[in-house]
Amino acid sequence: MSYALAVVADAAERLPAAQALADKLQLPCLGCLDPVEVSESAYVLQRGERLQLCATGRKAPGPVCVDFVGGALAHRRRYGGGKGQQVAKAVGLRGGFYPRVVDATAGLGRDAFVLASLGCEVHMLERNPVVRALLRDGLERLQRASLEDTELAAIAMRLTLEEREVSAGEWLAEQAAESVPVVYLDPMFPERGKSARVKKEMAAFHQLVGGDEDADALLEPAFAACYYRTVVKRPRLAPFLADKKPTLSLEGKSGRFDIYTKHGVPG
């Protein structure tokens, strides 16, 4: 039998955790297997020291995981430009003003972590249960690392994940009008076949998760819920979300931030 996705463990002692995850996600558990040896499924969630989404087979690209402690995000936390980063400018962060942000399409949590590391409280929403499992695992490892690192401890306190299985549109519609300082949207944009800049492992991730085809429907409830602004991250040449022109845009080499303002942020 073949499956789109299954769960494996990297060692016998992690098999109970792998089985529990499989039960929660209603996926088959294939036991202790290396992803390169799996033939029943195109992708597996591997339960190891970290939870990883892996393509299977011997020529598969590398795994995808959420790492808030090391790797690229650790480098960006130390050397990424601080409050001068475009994402910080887009949400209105400045000295003495650190708005609470709801990242309604959190994905792998990279921008959410950057904003939390700069001082914002960030609540992440992610409707895809597999991606949410990766986020939860990343947060748990961040919290363990924070026990020995005061800087990480402060970030961990500011970064939370919505545990309910709820779509961003539903969650935003539940909020009182103008109750969220900043709503941040970074909907998954369908990849173009010519996009050489997308790493192979991320291309595999996009293939499994798919694009947010209902992204246009998020702008209205996001803007209703926000107090200061709604920020939409887009590829540089992508159309405006819901074809609605923003108040202003911050453009970079490959992407841009479209900003829909409501009330002005403190000067």
Side-chain angles (χ1 to χ4, degrees), residues 46-263:
Q46 184 187 46
R47 180 69 273 179
E49 289 186 6
R50 64 183 64 184
L51 185 64
Q52 300 186 135
L53 177 65
C54 308
T56 59
R58 298 194 176 278
K59 295 184 179 181
V64 174
C65 71
V66 173
D67 187 2
F68 293 137
V69 178
L73 283 179
H75 186 272
R76 187 171 174 183
R77 174 164 59 92
R78 297 186 179 99
Y79 310 110
K83 296 174 187 175
Q85 297 176 74
Q86 290 283 75
V87 65
K89 294 177 181 178
V91 303
L93 193 153
R94 60 194 65 179
F97 180 65
Y98 303 89
R100 181 169 60 88
V101 179
V102 169
D103 185 347
T105 53
L108 296 174
R110 293 169 180 171
D111 287 341
F113 178 82
V114 169
L115 291 171
S117 71
L118 295 174
C120 295
E121 291 184 10
V122 184
H123 187 57
M124 298 182 291
L125 310 178
E126 175 51 55
R127 67 178 173 182
N128 185 288
V130 173
V131 182
R132 195 165 62 248
L134 293 171
L135 279 171
R136 187 182 303 110
D137 178 72
L139 273 178
E140 289 172 354
R141 286 185 285 105
L142 172 63
Q143 288 160 358
R144 289 196 294 271
S146 73
L147 298 176
E148 299 179 359
D149 187 318
T150 55
E151 184 178 350
L152 287 178
I155 298 171
M157 289 181 63
R158 292 191 289 264
L159 192 60
T160 57
L161 173 65
E162 177 66 42
E163 290 294 343
R164 290 187 300 148
E165 292 191 13
V166 60
S167 71
E170 291 171 324
W171 191 94
L172 290 165
E174 293 172 358
Q175 309 311 302
E178 301 189 352
S179 61
V180 179
V182 176
V183 177
Y184 184 81
L185 300 174
D186 180 13
M188 192 79 77
F189 195 73
E191 291 299 333
R192 302 288 187 247
K194 299 178 181 179
S195 181
R197 295 181 180 179
V198 179
K199 292 182 179 179
K200 289 182 179 180
E201 57 266 27
M202 288 308 299
F205 173 78
H206 290 165
Q207 183 177 352
L208 178 64
V209 175
D212 287 317
E213 302 297 337
D214 59 349
D216 285 346
L218 294 179
L219 186 58
E220 183 176 349
F223 194 67
C226 79
Y227 181 81
Y228 290 115
R229 58 179 56 177
T230 292
V231 178
V232 182
K233 185 177 183 179
R234 300 293 275 166
R236 188 172 62 87
L237 299 179
F240 297 134
L241 200 62
D243 291 324
K244 185 174 177 59
K245 186 176 180 180
T247 309
L248 69 152
S249 294
L250 300 178
E251 192 166 305
K253 291 181 179 179
S254 61
R256 69 173 195 270
F257 295 95
D258 294 335
I259 303 167
Y260 300 83
T261 62
K262 186 174 287 185
H263 301 289

